[in-house]
Amino acid sequence: MIPYPSKVEHKEGKFNLNSETRIDFSPELIQVVNYLKDLICSSTGFSLPSNLEVYMKNTISLVLQDSSEILNSEGYQLSINTDNIIIEAKTHQGMFYGIQTLRQLFPIEIESREVIEKFIWTVPCMSIVDNPRFKWRGLMFDVGRHFHNVDTLKRTIDLLALMKMNIFHWHLTEDQGWRIEIKKYPKLIEIGSKREDTKIGGWVSKTFREKPHEGYYTQEQIKEIVEYADERFITIIPEIEIPGHSSAAIASYPDLSCEGKQISVPSKFGIFDDILCPGKETTFEFLESVLEEVIGLFPADIIHIGGDEVPKKKWRQCKDCQRRMKDEGLKTVHELQHYTTNRIGEFLASKGKRLMGWNEILTESTDRNFIAQWWLRGKKNIIKHINEGGEVVASNFFHVYLDYNYFVTPLKKTYNYEPYTNGIKPKHHKQILGVEAPIWTEWVPNRNRLDWQLFPRLAAVSEIGWTSMSNKNYANFRKRLISFSRRLNYLGVNHADFEKIDPNTLQRLWNLRRAFKWPKI
Ligand code: ACM
Ligand code: ZN
């Protein structure tokens, strides 16, 4: 089982699922019951009819109720006996996680989408009590550098659900591509979602693919994905990068930048000087209209506005930015970013939404209602944010950035990441909402590469997020990973070779040059 549950007690015997097995549930649970039926019936061919009697043998019972063992809305209890299976939870979400654990206890053939005849479907008897350690267990997916289609997103969301992860942070805008349809600004798609070419082979390479790249999600597709995630208890946090990493927006509407010059959507990667101009009112009118449409599409109460890697060169030279600084009494260009973040934060608050950003949004006096995602540097501001009541999502660059290869970030290094380190006092631990692993896709052009980067490290991330500190054990995780990987194989996930995911120090040093060089795909 991955992530490992809070308490597991193995018992004698097995439950045997067969054509006579029935299901018993209260009617409001229909959504999770349909999910469970789809899982079981597709592979077994059994119909899993509803149980009409109060107690019958050979039944799976889903019971919504309070229990002192279930500590929060995501917890559950699972009891597998020779006669019956009982899942108890306080909420539908807890029930869904109980189902995911049961799913992992079935033979991997339960994952089949076609009926497998004459198969014996047994589950070992045991009692499980399970509660998550953190409430934020996420993956950030950059679809800007490379577009990934709706199928790949749904498949990735399915895998998050399997591991009880609950946040899909969707990085929708980048220098190299704007991927979300905005009705008021059609050029974001007409121009911003396409680029002429793409650099390949890694940071030091000079080679290009010599092929255009494009892609975007229509608002209808976005609604479909939001709903798909919601059925799996996964919240989608959309990210619109403000004010940096916005070349694609500027290529579409050049007036958004300080100089107003036409640029093209870049084919190279990195940090670009042309960023949004907060000196012009029209930039805020644009951003508010974009965010209004974004808010209409995503029910989450949090909107991510990026805020990372903002070169201020153009702001220093821009008469509009300089006038804004004078009018607002801003002494530095860093204060101008603070002003920009605050204005967007106030706009979001007026719509009932909360701002989230990378740790560069933080200053001495940031609104403590903003959520900071801590990826690199910025410790002083993070500690101040926390000391003054702010909340943080832990995304440490050296441990959970899954876009690096296994020489740079071995599985063990990811697994051993501890969100509570770095001088955060125990009384503030509850302000660390949890963990989120980013996958940036400069060198991730397709699903095969995506799978290789994510797996098995994302399984380690799920365990950082869910499993209690006292139950975390790397050797034990590696053992469980063997059967988990069989399930991944069955699901068609192209995970990395387990012989190569924990290179020793010598191998790591020898191959460090590969950190900057990626194989061609
Ligand atoms: C980041 O990796 N630039 C947040
Ligand atoms: Zn400007």
Side-chain angles (χ1 to χ4, degrees):
M1 287 173 278
I2 290 179
Y4 198 69
S6 313
K7 273 190 230 162
V8 180
E9 189 193 322
H10 294 273
K11 298 188 293 201
E12 284 290 307
K14 286 180 171 140
F15 177 86
N16 184 14
L17 185 96
N18 54 38
S19 59
E20 303 295 309
T21 305
R22 288 175 174 267
I23 185 161
D24 177 28
F25 59 96
S26 47
E28 73 261 36
L29 279 170
I30 191 70
Q31 185 189 321
V32 290
V33 167
N34 283 341
Y35 179 94
L36 178 64
K37 278 193 171 184
D38 181 51
L39 179 76
I40 291 181
C41 303
S42 305
S43 47
T44 64
F46 307 148
S47 59
L48 211 60
S50 294
N51 190 355
L52 300 174
E53 298 183 23
V54 177
Y55 179 80
M56 250 178 86
K57 289 194 169 182
N58 198 2
T59 297
I60 300 176
S61 299
L62 308 185
V63 187
L64 262 190
Q65 66 179 24
D66 246 328
S67 142
S68 58
E69 300 259 37
I70 303 170
L71 303 180
N72 59 43
S73 63
E74 297 189 295
Y76 66 91
Q77 278 182 276
L78 169 63
S79 175
I80 303 168
N81 310 296
T82 50
D83 280 356
N84 60 10
I85 293 175
I86 304 166
I87 310 177
E88 291 165 78
K90 287 182 186 178
T91 67
H92 297 206
Q93 188 171 3
M95 195 62 75
F96 184 76
Y97 294 142
I99 290 170
Q100 292 304 332
T101 298
L102 178 61
R103 173 184 179 188
Q104 290 197 21
L105 292 168
F106 269 111
I108 55 172
E109 287 79 2
I110 202 82
E111 308 292 346
S112 173
R113 300 273 81 197
E114 280 157 31
V115 175
I116 303 175
E117 307 281 356
K118 299 198 179 67
F119 193 87
I120 313 258
W121 301 96
T122 59
V123 207
C125 291
M126 61 179 80
S127 290
I128 290 175
V129 180
D130 201 7
N131 296 287
R133 179 176 173 201
F134 290 108
K135 65 178 173 193
W136 191 292
R137 305 178 299 278
L139 170 71
M140 188 225 76
F141 195 160
D142 161 24
V143 293
R145 271 58 175 267
H146 278 99
F147 176 75
H148 290 260
N149 66 23
V150 170
D151 263 5
T152 296
L153 296 191
K154 285 186 175 172
R155 201 287 318 245
T156 305
I157 286 168
D158 276 333
L159 293 168
L160 293 179
L162 170 68
M163 301 182 296
K164 304 186 179 71
M165 294 178 75
N166 61 2
I167 298 282
F168 182 81
H169 167 176
W170 199 357
H171 184 85
L172 281 159
T173 71
E174 251 309 331
D175 291 309
Q176 294 79 10
W178 182 285
R179 307 284 176 222
I180 170 173
E181 178 191 23
I182 300 293
K183 307 256 193 216
K184 188 162 175 194
Y185 298 102
K187 286 190 198 162
L188 290 170
I189 289 312
E190 286 160 24
I191 296 172
S193 74
K194 302 172 184 171
R195 63 175 183 254
E196 299 268 292
D197 208 342
T198 302
K199 186 157 162 187
I200 54 172
W203 296 102
V204 294
S205 149
K206 292 194 167 45
T207 317
F208 286 79
R209 191 177 286 132
E210 295 181 5
K211 228 167 83 179
H213 182 81
E214 64 177 279
Y216 69 95
Y217 309 98
T218 64
Q219 295 203 350
E220 282 313 303
Q221 287 173 321
I222 287 174
K223 285 181 202 152
E224 181 187 329
I225 290 174
V226 167
E227 193 179 320
Y228 192 83
D230 183 61
E231 286 164 6
R232 287 153 184 78
F233 300 90
I234 290 169
T235 302
I236 302 198
I237 309 289
E239 178 179 349
I240 304 295
E241 273 272 18
I242 302 169
H245 288 291
S246 37
S247 303
I250 293 168
S252 313
Y253 295 98
D255 277 347
L256 290 170
S257 71
C258 290
E259 291 170 356
K261 276 201 233 147
Q262 182 67 59
I263 58 168
S264 53
V265 179
S267 307
K268 292 183 190 165
F269 304 111
I271 299 173
F272 298 91
D273 285 340
D274 280 307
I275 61 172
L276 304 178
C277 173
K280 300 178 195 169
E281 259 329 274
T282 46
T283 303
F284 287 97
E285 284 162 23
F286 168 84
L287 289 173
E288 290 183 6
S289 301
V290 166
L291 289 171
E292 201 142 342
E293 291 194 33
V294 169
I295 288 166
L297 292 167
F298 294 93
D301 59 6
I302 297 165
I303 306 280
H304 201 299
I305 62 122
D308 59 317
E309 299 179 324
V310 182
K312 314 279 195 313
K313 186 173 153 195
K314 298 282 164 106
W315 289 3
R316 288 195 182 93
Q317 301 159 351
C318 170
K319 67 174 187 343
D320 294 311
C321 285
Q322 292 304 315
R323 198 194 50 239
R324 173 79 75 197
M325 286 170 63
K326 192 157 165 276
D327 290 352
E328 299 292 333
L330 310 171
K331 288 190 231 28
T332 66
V333 280
H334 301 284
E335 289 181 24
L336 186 54
Q337 181 173 359
H338 176 78
Y339 166 85
T340 308
T341 310
N342 275 350
R343 257 189 85 164
I344 300 296
E346 277 164 28
F347 172 76
L348 292 176
S350 77
K351 306 281 170 189
K353 302 283 174 179
R354 207 171 155 194
L355 182 147
M356 177 166 180
W358 301 101
N359 54 268
E360 287 99 316
I361 64 162
L362 294 180
T363 66
E364 290 271 298
S365 57
T366 296
D367 183 337
R368 301 305 171 199
N369 189 44
F370 296 167
I371 299 172
Q373 185 163 11
W374 192 7
W375 71 284
L376 190 65
R377 301 183 288 260
K379 181 169 175 179
K380 196 167 136 255
N381 280 339
I382 285 280
I383 299 291
K384 190 155 201 290
H385 185 59
I386 289 174
N387 286 345
E388 293 178 7
E391 293 181 319
V392 168
V393 170
S395 291
N396 185 280
F397 175 82
F398 299 102
H399 293 267
V400 295
Y401 263 50
L402 304 185
D403 41 316
Y404 288 88
N405 68 33
Y406 291 79
F407 292 114
V408 179
T409 313
L411 177 67
K412 189 172 182 181
K413 186 160 176 152
T414 301
Y415 188 84
N416 286 333
Y417 179 44
E418 173 44 59
Y420 284 169
T421 52
N422 280 313
I424 296 157
K425 296 194 188 98
K427 68 173 179 181
H428 292 304
H429 281 174
K430 64 177 186 311
Q431 290 158 253
I432 308 286
L433 300 180
V435 61
E436 189 182 295
I439 175 80
W440 301 98
T441 59
E442 286 95 339
W443 320 110
V444 185
N446 54 38
R447 195 192 282 193
N448 258 355
R449 187 81 203 175
L450 176 73
D451 285 355
W452 188 91
Q453 298 286 152
L454 292 186
F455 289 96
R457 286 182 298 202
L458 196 57
V461 173
S462 80
E463 201 143 316
I464 298 166
W466 185 281
T467 303
S468 67
M469 258 176 174
S470 57
N471 277 347
K472 263 186 83 190
N473 177 307
Y474 188 62
N476 179 279
F477 173 73
R478 282 296 302 250
K479 275 195 209 133
R480 284 180 284 118
L481 206 49
I482 295 167
S483 60
F484 191 74
S485 72
R486 280 192 221 112
R487 192 166 301 265
L488 292 178
N489 292 340
Y490 203 89
L491 290 166
V493 177
N494 176 46
H495 61 76
D497 181 347
F498 284 15
E499 302 286 310
K500 298 185 181 152
I501 50 185
D502 275 321
N504 62 35
T505 308
L506 197 64
Q507 289 167 322
R508 287 184 66 192
L509 288 173
W510 182 250
N511 285 285
L512 212 55
R513 64 198 166 85
R514 289 211 215 167
F516 304 101
K517 206 164 177 306
W518 258 254
K520 277 189 195 164
I521 295 211

